[in-house]
Amino acid sequence: MRMDFGLNLEQTQKLIMTPELRQAITVLQMSSMELTEYVEAQVLENPLLEMRDNDLERGEETGGQGDMVVEADKKDFDPDWLEYFEDRSDLGVSPGRGQREIAEQPNYEQFVSQAPTLTDHLMFQLSLSKTAGDLRPVVEYLIGNVDARGYLAISLAEANQQLKVGLPKLEEALKVLQSFDPPGVGARDLQECLNIQLDLLGEDNPLVRILIADHLSDLAAGKLSKIAAKLNVSPQEIQEAADILKKLEPKPGRNFSNANDTRYIIPDVVVEKVADQYVILVNDVAIPRLSINNTYRQVLAKNSSADPDTKRFVEEKLNSAAWLIRSIEQRRLTLYKVANCLVELQRDFLDHGVKYLKPLNLRKVADLIGVHESTVSRATSNKYIQTPQGVFEMKYFFSTGLSGASGTQVSAESLKKILQEIIQQEDPSAPLSDQKIAELFSQRGITISRRTITKYRDELGIPATNRRKRY
């Protein structure tokens, strides 16, 4: 058997995800807050990166980042570092004569006060109360066992095993806790929570107490006629008692903050209307301004005494820093292009509201700005846009829709808005069925099935026909 060896030339195409490309993709899909944390972590890892405490004037800063982008675009990514360091515009160096750094004064509007937690609120009331000294530690222990809903998470028997103070004293401490604000706090179940609130309101309707004790499940299901038949009263009386219950709070503690709550949203894009035109601003104020540490330029100088390994390390870190700055700039440009496309396509929504939101998909936006659909998906992921109509997630503008009689497309969000208006205008004594609502849509030139109406109604949290009926 004879084997021949030869040299053949073949041309193939492969998709290779380089570390730089993965970093660019990661940066693109981050929100402003996530990108800020990521940049701070990269600054700790890369000694050539540093954050500017006092930014230079915007024009100078923009020019510096532009130079970095040009350097980063070179295919071999091995620029002449000596010439690069000759241009000091993006190295964070002090400006020349006639220029001054503008020190930013702290903006006190950015300081957000933290809302008190439920525990803080209860401890503050305990400090102002006239509770006996030996009873205070017991009340504090019970406060520490109140969960986020405002309910007592342990039984008195369990508390007695820990404190060894006796059940009478624990019941006295629990009574003190249940007298605090918010009404119903410290209850051990839903029935006790509602009864505490009725006591504080001075409500003496016996039918309300009966509903709390035996008929909460039927009441939640809207079976008022069934309850009325059992109690031998009219449905109107059950309706009046149910209206009283709706005024009570089943979770007294949910209006207070928790340590891990997200309390606010920072929009990544801001759209403002100025003189009948919409202006788009990419909100990157919170993202640190990066520059290259000028100290390390001596390592890459011709007369440097640094060993080759050190020079190679500095050059790798410099390449990494340049890629990061380029990725951040590319993220900003992509985000601006997507936002600008959304403003052009959804102009009617910005002018008139949700009813005028048009159906839109990722492909259409991607074709208009000349990128892949996945790029648009990443650019809009976990990001919010502030518009004259409110703050929305950017994914909100991408929705399916139905065709109207005139051939125009109507988005799902517009249909939900119309559905809400129809139900708000219905007669409460004879609420509309889903089939009747579908017929009303048909009269407006929109063909929609009953099942779709049911689906949208459930998504909006609107109860069914029998639960909306008023007697």
Side-chain angles (χ1 to χ4, degrees):
M1 183 176 179
R2 182 180 178 183
M3 297 181 63
D4 293 331
F5 295 94
L7 185 63
N8 298 320
L9 182 63
E10 294 183 358
Q11 185 177 8
T12 60
Q13 288 184 338
K14 293 183 179 180
L15 180 62
I16 300 177
M17 290 287 289
T18 63
E20 291 81 7
L21 181 57
R22 284 197 295 268
Q23 183 187 56
I25 292 174
T26 301
V27 168
L28 178 60
Q29 61 190 7
M30 287 181 176
S31 64
S32 297
M33 297 300 293
E34 292 171 339
L35 182 57
T36 300
E37 296 176 359
Y38 179 78
V39 168
E40 291 174 350
Q42 291 298 312
V43 170
L44 293 177
E45 295 179 4
N46 193 336
L48 270 72
L49 279 174
E50 63 181 10
M51 296 186 294
R52 299 183 185 181
D53 292 332
N54 296 319
D55 291 337
L56 305 180
E57 293 186 10
R58 185 66 180 177
E60 181 184 351
E61 179 184 283
T62 303
Q65 290 189 357
D67 295 336
M68 281 299 298
V69 172
V70 173
E71 295 293 343
D73 279 336
K74 291 188 176 181
K75 292 183 179 180
D76 55 1
F77 228 97
D78 187 19
D80 188 343
W81 296 116
L82 296 180
E83 291 185 7
Y84 174 76
F85 282 116
E86 293 282 335
D87 180 12
R88 306 159 68 92
S89 61
D90 60 349
L91 300 179
V93 184
S94 301
R97 294 181 180 179
Q99 295 179 335
R100 294 184 303 169
E101 292 189 0
I102 301 176
E104 293 185 358
Q105 298 297 325
N107 185 356
Y108 294 102
E109 294 181 356
Q110 298 178 357
F111 292 89
V112 181
S113 60
Q114 181 178 359
T117 64
L118 178 59
T119 301
D120 295 336
H121 186 60
L122 296 175
M123 291 299 294
F124 176 72
Q125 294 177 78
L126 178 61
S127 66
L128 299 179
S129 67
K130 297 181 180 180
T131 306
D134 60 337
L135 194 61
R136 283 179 178 270
V138 183
V139 180
E140 289 182 7
Y141 178 83
L142 295 181
I143 290 175
N145 285 279
V146 173
D147 60 21
R149 301 174 303 158
Y151 287 80
L152 188 63
I154 62 171
S155 65
L156 295 185
E158 292 173 331
N160 189 39
Q161 291 178 359
Q162 296 291 330
L163 301 180
K164 309 294 184 183
V165 295
L167 291 178
K169 195 164 189 175
L170 283 168
E171 291 175 354
E172 185 181 357
L174 180 59
K175 189 175 181 180
V176 172
L177 173 60
Q178 292 178 349
S179 67
F180 289 165
D181 181 78
V185 69
R188 288 159 287 187
D189 53 41
L190 177 60
Q191 285 80 3
E192 184 179 15
C193 178
L194 297 177
N195 281 317
I196 291 172
Q197 296 180 58
L198 289 176
D199 293 337
L200 294 176
L201 291 175
E203 181 60 51
D204 57 357
N205 188 337
L207 194 56
V208 179
R209 305 280 184 174
I210 296 175
L211 292 179
I212 292 175
D214 303 315
H215 302 284
L216 284 181
S217 58
D218 287 338
L219 189 62
K223 300 177 181 179
L224 303 186
S225 299
K226 178 182 177 182
I227 300 174
K230 285 184 178 180
L231 300 180
N232 197 23
V233 295
S234 65
Q236 289 82 358
E237 293 179 87
I238 300 297
Q239 186 83 69
E240 292 174 1
D243 290 341
I244 296 174
L245 282 179
K246 290 179 181 179
K247 298 177 183 178
L248 307 181
E249 175 56 72
K251 297 179 181 179
R254 65 177 169 185
N255 293 325
F256 293 84
S257 66
N258 293 316
N260 297 324
D261 283 350
T262 300
R263 300 181 181 88
Y264 54 89
I265 292 175
I266 297 179
D268 298 271
V269 179
V270 178
V271 177
E272 296 287 348
K273 190 172 185 179
V274 179
D276 201 34
Q277 296 293 328
Y278 287 100
V279 179
I280 303 170
L281 301 174
V282 178
N283 187 14
D284 56 356
V285 177
I287 302 174
R289 305 299 179 192
L290 295 178
S291 61
I292 304 298
N293 192 322
N294 195 36
T295 304
Y296 290 88
R297 76 185 185 95
Q298 298 297 335
V299 177
L300 298 177
K302 289 183 178 180
N303 57 352
S304 173
S305 60
D307 59 272
D309 291 339
T310 302
K311 289 185 177 180
R312 189 179 304 110
F313 171 80
V314 172
E315 187 169 345
E316 289 176 357
K317 292 299 182 182
L318 191 53
N319 287 336
S320 176
W323 263 109
L324 178 59
I325 294 174
R326 179 177 181 270
S327 299
I328 294 175
E329 177 65 14
Q330 187 64 37
R331 171 190 178 274
R332 186 185 67 82
L333 294 176
T334 304
L335 197 55
Y336 176 84
K337 290 179 182 179
V338 173
N340 185 54
C341 188
L342 291 178
V343 168
E344 292 178 359
L345 295 175
Q346 301 289 1
R347 179 66 183 254
D348 291 339
F349 162 80
L350 296 174
D351 289 338
H352 307 293
V354 179
K355 288 176 61 177
Y356 296 86
L357 187 67
K358 300 176 182 177
L360 188 62
N361 54 37
L362 296 174
R363 179 182 292 275
K364 185 172 183 179
V365 175
D367 292 341
L368 289 175
I369 64 178
V371 297
H372 194 267
E373 290 180 54
S374 62
T375 302
V376 178
S377 178
R378 292 187 178 99
T380 56
S381 177
N382 301 320
K383 296 180 182 64
Y384 290 83
I385 180 171
Q386 178 179 315
T387 70
Q389 299 295 336
V391 178
F392 300 90
E393 192 175 5
M394 293 189 73
K395 292 286 188 183
Y396 176 84
F397 295 93
F398 299 93
S399 63
T400 58
L402 299 174
S403 298
S406 59
T408 58
Q409 293 287 318
V410 184
S411 71
E413 297 298 330
S414 300
L415 296 174
K416 291 178 183 179
K417 183 65 176 179
I418 297 173
L419 174 60
Q420 283 181 317
E421 294 179 352
I422 290 175
I423 293 179
Q424 288 174 356
Q425 297 172 2
E426 70 181 0
D427 183 3
S429 61
L432 300 172
S433 64
D434 292 344
Q435 182 61 42
K436 181 62 178 177
I437 294 175
E439 294 174 1
L440 293 177
F441 270 97
S442 179
Q443 294 175 9
R444 299 189 181 198
I446 302 173
T447 303
I448 185 172
S449 66
R450 181 194 60 80
R451 288 183 298 176
T452 305
I453 293 294
T454 304
K455 172 187 172 182
Y456 288 164
R457 181 175 53 74
D458 291 339
E459 291 177 357
L460 293 171
I462 298 175
T465 306
N466 62 331
R467 296 180 60 185
R468 299 200 309 271
K469 185 176 181 180
R470 300 285 299 180
Y471 293 91

